[in-house]
Amino acid sequence: MKQKQASNDLSDNLSIHFHERDRSQLLMIERALGKISEGLMASAKSCSAEIGEKRLRARPFATLCIDCMEEQEDPRHYLN
């Protein structure tokens, strides 16, 4: 019986986590789409460069410009 309760607790915790993540992403998407409709562009959080409209339309909750994203994803980035 304890195993079933632990499984239920884990399932509930995962559901809450996914709900919060989805809610957070939805808010970021709404903000980005609002900026696009106002003609404003988002700034990358790491370099302050403009995140282009094409990127925001593809990934509205992007917080990095293409250059910063590519640098962050570069495996050499983790070696420094």
Side-chain angles (χ1 to χ4, degrees):
M1 190 68 165
K2 287 183 181 182
Q3 202 172 24
K4 183 172 173 83
Q5 182 61 41
S7 177
N8 287 341
D9 289 347
L10 178 60
S11 179
D12 290 346
N13 287 337
L14 285 173
S15 292
I16 291 169
H17 170 76
F18 290 136
H19 175 74
E20 287 298 317
R21 185 199 61 195
D22 292 346
R23 183 175 167 274
S24 176
Q25 286 181 343
L26 181 59
L27 290 172
M28 288 189 287
I29 289 168
E30 288 174 347
R31 260 188 235 124
L33 292 176
K35 286 183 178 185
I36 290 171
S37 70
E38 293 172 11
L40 302 172
M41 290 294 111
S43 296
K45 70 178 184 179
S46 59
C47 71
S48 300
E50 184 178 279
I51 300 175
E53 181 177 348
K54 186 175 178 181
R55 174 151 169 75
L56 287 175
R57 288 197 182 277
R59 187 169 176 91
F61 47 90
T63 59
L64 299 172
C65 67
I66 293 287
D67 290 339
C68 290
M69 181 200 62
E70 288 175 348
E71 181 180 323
Q72 186 176 19
E73 290 178 350
D74 186 340
R76 294 174 292 183
H77 175 79
Y78 298 103
L79 298 175
N80 293 331

